[in-house]
Amino acid sequence: RLTQERAKSRTLAVLVAGLVHAVLVGIALMIVFYTPDDSVPELIVSSSAVPEVQRVSKKDLSQTRSRQKPSPPSARATQLITAAVPSPVAVPVIEQHVDDPTALLGVGLAEFGDGFGTGGSGAGMGGGQFFGVQSKGNAFVYVIDGSTSMRGRNKWETCKRELIRSVRRLRGSQRFYVYIFSRDTVRMYDSARVPRRLEPATTANFKKMEAWLDRYTLNSGTYPKSAVAEALEKLRPDVVYLLSDGEFAGDDNTEQYVLSAAKRSSRVPKINTIAFQTQRGQEVLKRIAKATGGKYTYVGR
């Protein structure tokens, strides 16, 4: 019986081996006799018509461009250009000869020059006030009567106090100067030289001016002409305050000088005149103020 089982096992093994060999042989035959198809499938592509590319010719930049003259302006532009050109203006020449009114004092107009002008005006103009007379400006000159007639009724002390108040109202951007006149003209700080400019409105200058006023001694005579002329010709302020307590001396020619200066130039500074505690001489003061566009004021006791 054992022999039979062994015979069956051998037979089964032989069959399995044969089957495996048959499969392997079949695979080998397929590999050997297989011929691949070398034909390439045809690829069909549909496309729309492509427009023909337009060839642009390149310009020759080496050619020299000729300058063309600008076209003439239109008629309207010509009118505008013509209107922008200032037309000549005929300036009348005054042929009337005015005698030098300062010859009586031996001081001619030529000594101070012919030019007038204001040196302190401009943008941001401030103002000043003296005995209630207000004026716009940045540069002020005070021409004050220092004759012996100012001694009565405490006039000189009253005038000094108001002058100090007026100057101290000025600001640092403004300037000032003071003359005292009698027979002679006394410049501020007792200066012997003609001032070249006005003084800045500073505390230090206020104190110097006050000390100078305290030192001054009243003198005889009423001759404001030299002080007025020097102020107008050398300092050229915006405003002049001229104060007097009476008539000018008979041979003083301040009025003639101012009227002549006002005729020669429209740039003469305004002169505000003040008749102080008396109306004697007010007519002269009124005419001086009117000729320069200033104000006349009477200050009573």
Side-chain angles (χ1 to χ4, degrees):
R1 188 182 176 110
L2 180 60
T3 304
Q4 292 178 352
E5 289 179 357
R6 289 180 177 176
K8 289 181 181 180
S9 300
R10 290 179 180 175
T11 301
L12 181 59
V14 170
L15 290 174
V16 172
L19 181 60
V20 171
H21 281 81
V23 172
L24 295 175
V25 170
I27 293 173
L29 291 175
M30 290 179 63
I31 294 173
V32 171
F33 292 102
Y34 175 74
T35 303
D37 189 1
D38 294 332
S39 62
V40 179
E42 182 179 1
L43 181 63
I44 300 176
V45 179
S46 62
S47 62
S48 59
V50 178
E52 181 180 358
V53 178
Q54 182 177 4
R55 184 178 297 276
V56 180
S57 59
K58 186 177 181 180
K59 292 185 179 181
D60 186 5
L61 299 178
S62 62
Q63 296 180 357
T64 305
R65 294 179 60 88
S66 60
R67 292 179 174 269
Q68 297 182 355
K69 295 182 178 180
S71 58
S74 62
R76 178 172 179 80
T78 303
Q79 294 176 359
L80 292 176
I81 294 173
T82 303
V85 179
S87 60
V89 178
V91 179
V93 178
I94 301 175
E95 297 181 354
Q96 180 180 1
H97 176 70
V98 179
D99 295 333
D100 185 354
T102 62
L104 294 175
L105 290 181
V107 180
L109 291 175
E111 180 178 343
F112 296 102
D114 294 329
F116 290 94
T118 55
S121 59
M125 182 176 290
Q129 180 177 327
F130 185 48
F131 278 113
V133 182
Q134 298 181 351
S135 288
K136 293 182 179 180
N138 286 327
F140 297 87
V141 170
Y142 302 82
V143 181
I144 307 300
D145 191 341
S147 63
T148 53
S149 60
M150 290 286 287
R151 185 178 294 119
R153 298 188 299 273
N154 208 30
K155 288 189 289 184
W156 177 244
E157 294 301 321
T158 303
C159 183
K160 280 201 309 181
R161 286 195 299 269
E162 178 60 26
L163 176 60
I164 292 171
R165 279 197 295 265
S166 176
V167 170
R168 283 189 171 273
R169 291 190 189 102
L170 303 177
R171 297 295 176 258
S173 60
Q174 296 176 297
R175 295 172 293 160
F176 74 100
Y177 201 84
V178 180
Y179 291 95
I180 300 176
F181 66 89
S182 57
R183 178 170 294 277
D184 301 316
T185 296
V186 180
R187 302 185 181 98
M188 192 163 66
Y189 312 147
D190 290 318
S191 174
R193 296 182 179 181
V194 175
R196 292 182 296 178
R197 62 182 181 275
L198 293 97
E199 293 293 308
T202 62
T203 302
N205 287 333
F206 297 158
K207 292 180 178 179
K208 287 174 62 178
M209 182 201 70
E210 292 174 21
W212 166 66
L213 291 175
D214 289 338
R215 293 193 305 267
Y216 179 77
T217 302
L218 299 174
N219 294 312
S220 60
T222 311
Y223 294 88
K225 185 266 168 185
S226 295
V228 171
E230 188 172 291
L232 267 58
E233 295 288 350
K234 298 300 181 181
L235 298 180
R236 300 182 179 182
D238 297 319
V239 177
V240 174
Y241 286 107
L242 172 59
L243 179 145
S244 180
D245 73 333
E247 296 177 343
F248 299 156
D251 55 349
D252 177 78
N253 56 357
T254 302
E255 180 184 2
Q256 294 91 328
Y257 174 83
V258 171
L259 296 180
S260 176
K263 287 181 180 179
R264 290 189 294 114
S265 174
S266 60
R267 299 180 63 190
V268 174
K270 292 182 179 180
I271 301 179
N272 295 326
T273 58
I274 299 172
F276 190 54
Q277 296 193 11
T278 178
Q279 292 180 319
R280 289 183 302 163
Q282 66 174 346
E283 296 303 323
V284 172
L285 295 176
K286 287 180 179 179
R287 289 192 291 267
I288 290 175
K290 182 178 180 181
T292 60
K295 303 174 184 177
Y296 163 79
T297 303
Y298 167 68
V299 177
R301 300 177 185 178

